[in-house]
Amino acid sequence: MERNVKMQRQEGAKVCLMSPEQLQKKFPWINTEGVALASYGLENEGWFDPWCLLQGLRRKLQSMGVLFCQGEVTRFISSSSHMETASGEQLTLKRIHEVHVKMDHSQEFQPVECAIVVNAAGAWSGQIAELAGVGNGPPGTMQGTKLPVEPRKRYVYLWHCPQGPGLEAPLVADPSGAYFRREGLGNNYVGSCSPTEEEEPDPGNLEVDYDFFQEKVWPRLAQRVPAFETLKVRSAWAGYYDYNTFDQNGVVGPHPLVVNMYFATGFSGHGLQQAPAVGRAVAEMVLEGHFQTINLSPFLFSRFYFGEKAQEHCIL
């Protein structure tokens, strides 16, 4: 934690370290048992509604002339060339020239020529990469290395607790993995925790497991905030992480073998926080020297023009 805070301060974040005594004094509702150190953001902290932010971005783009088209990517058409590495390994390089997109409410596909493909398909980006041939080679080779991103289902619960933390409560992330924050002004809170590998739920549906809250989340919350012993769950929902099984960090940049496919995926729950910076970084990478790029997901195909050059680029 000390190393993390040092790095954060070097990047301009106003963050302080607090001893258990300082933590208890500032937030009397926290049980500091087992806490050795805490970090606390002093400014520019908060939370936002992800759906509202997304819709705001979409409306702004539409006001600038962007056309959103719903469809499903079904196939990539590519050409191949071959090379040999310094160690003698034979590699096949692919370049995508055309994408087939099955439009909603239609049995036909739309062939779309492209110079650059941006895979920002979130939890389904691994499927898109596989369609493009990523990871289809022999195991243990570069050509057999898959994009390590898959859907992971996560629950979020909303509960009410009249004696819970007040308006000064920040978003709290506990060492146990549980987290929570206030939701509005009526002593409502949202939070959860991530399951272990053995507890991973079936991602084939978005049904909520309320027993998971009772058995795994609630005990951790009540241990850290004793007032939560009397909470009452009011609602819950489930959604998908684009989970990077390698290290839970984003995969950003070009693929070494599918040379005109760029990735912006695998953020494992941090995507919306990083999206503006990643979107700009990927746009800067792909726009240099190219006139057309395409943003793909199994359910969303979007492109738009800007400036005087009729260029197209990705959005997240």
Side-chain angles (χ1 to χ4, degrees):
M1 182 174 285
E2 289 174 340
R3 289 194 300 269
N4 288 344
V5 167
K6 181 180 179 181
M7 180 271 292
Q8 292 161 8
R9 287 172 174 168
Q10 289 172 346
E11 297 301 322
K14 301 297 188 293
V15 184
C16 72
L17 289 169
M18 304 172 70
S19 67
E21 294 75 23
Q22 292 170 320
L23 183 64
Q24 177 73 58
K25 184 177 180 180
K26 187 168 183 64
F27 304 112
W29 41 265
I30 285 184
N31 172 21
T32 59
E33 179 183 353
V35 174
L37 196 64
S39 66
Y40 178 61
L42 298 172
E43 67 179 37
N44 297 327
E45 298 283 355
W47 47 82
F48 54 87
D49 185 316
W51 181 252
C52 288
L53 176 62
L54 176 61
Q55 296 309 306
L57 290 170
R58 287 173 64 97
R59 285 195 296 268
K60 176 62 176 179
L61 295 174
Q62 287 170 326
S63 75
M64 299 167 66
V66 177
L67 175 64
F68 287 88
C69 300
Q70 296 284 83
E72 180 181 358
V73 178
T74 59
R75 187 184 181 192
F76 293 98
I77 305 298
S78 59
S79 60
S80 300
S81 59
H82 303 279
M83 64 168 289
E84 183 176 316
T85 67
S87 62
E89 182 181 0
Q90 297 291 325
L91 296 178
T92 299
L93 304 183
K94 291 185 176 182
R95 178 174 293 275
I96 298 169
H97 299 285
E98 187 176 279
V99 184
H100 290 184
V101 181
K102 180 179 175 296
M103 305 308 293
D104 278 1
H105 312 296
S106 172
Q107 296 302 313
E108 299 180 352
F109 70 85
Q110 176 68 42
V112 182
E113 294 182 353
C114 61
I116 296 291
V117 174
V118 178
N119 185 344
W124 300 275
S125 56
Q127 298 176 24
I128 290 291
E130 191 171 353
L131 272 179
V134 174
N136 292 345
T141 68
M142 184 183 297
Q143 294 188 120
T145 302
K146 297 181 181 295
L147 177 67
V149 178
E150 64 186 34
R152 293 285 180 96
K153 185 166 75 171
R154 294 292 180 264
Y155 309 117
V156 181
Y157 303 90
L158 184 147
W159 64 87
H160 180 68
C161 184
Q163 286 76 45
L167 296 177
E168 83 287 355
L171 184 147
V172 176
D174 190 70
S176 68
Y179 71 90
F180 74 90
R181 66 166 174 83
R182 287 183 62 90
E183 176 72 0
L185 303 176
N187 289 101
N188 294 318
Y189 306 84
V190 295
S192 189
C193 69
S194 294
T196 65
E197 286 290 329
E198 295 74 24
E199 297 167 344
E200 282 290 347
D202 178 10
N205 62 71
L206 288 178
E207 296 177 0
V208 174
D209 183 355
Y210 285 90
D211 289 338
F212 182 76
F213 183 86
Q214 296 286 335
E215 299 169 6
K216 303 295 182 180
V217 183
W218 193 2
R220 299 174 185 181
L221 293 171
Q223 194 279 331
R224 187 60 60 208
V225 182
F228 282 159
E229 292 180 0
T230 60
L231 65 80
K232 301 293 182 183
V233 175
R234 287 188 165 177
S235 63
W237 64 92
Y240 290 114
Y241 274 7
D242 53 332
Y243 191 84
N244 181 347
T245 59
F246 180 68
D247 64 0
Q248 293 81 64
N249 286 308
V251 180
V252 180
H255 191 272
L257 299 180
V258 184
V259 295
N260 63 335
M261 173 174 273
Y262 287 72
F263 294 108
T265 184
F267 297 99
S268 308
H270 304 111
L272 199 60
Q273 299 171 44
Q274 301 173 356
V278 171
R280 177 167 180 169
V282 173
E284 289 174 352
M285 280 190 278
V286 301
L287 288 178
E288 185 64 32
H290 297 285
F291 76 95
Q292 185 181 33
T293 67
I294 294 175
N295 175 49
L296 300 175
S297 86
F299 309 107
L300 172 65
F301 167 69
S302 61
R303 55 181 176 168
F304 64 96
Y305 297 95
F306 66 102
E308 298 295 323
K309 300 181 180 179
Q311 294 177 315
E312 301 182 73
H313 70 86
C314 74
I315 59 173
L316 300 181

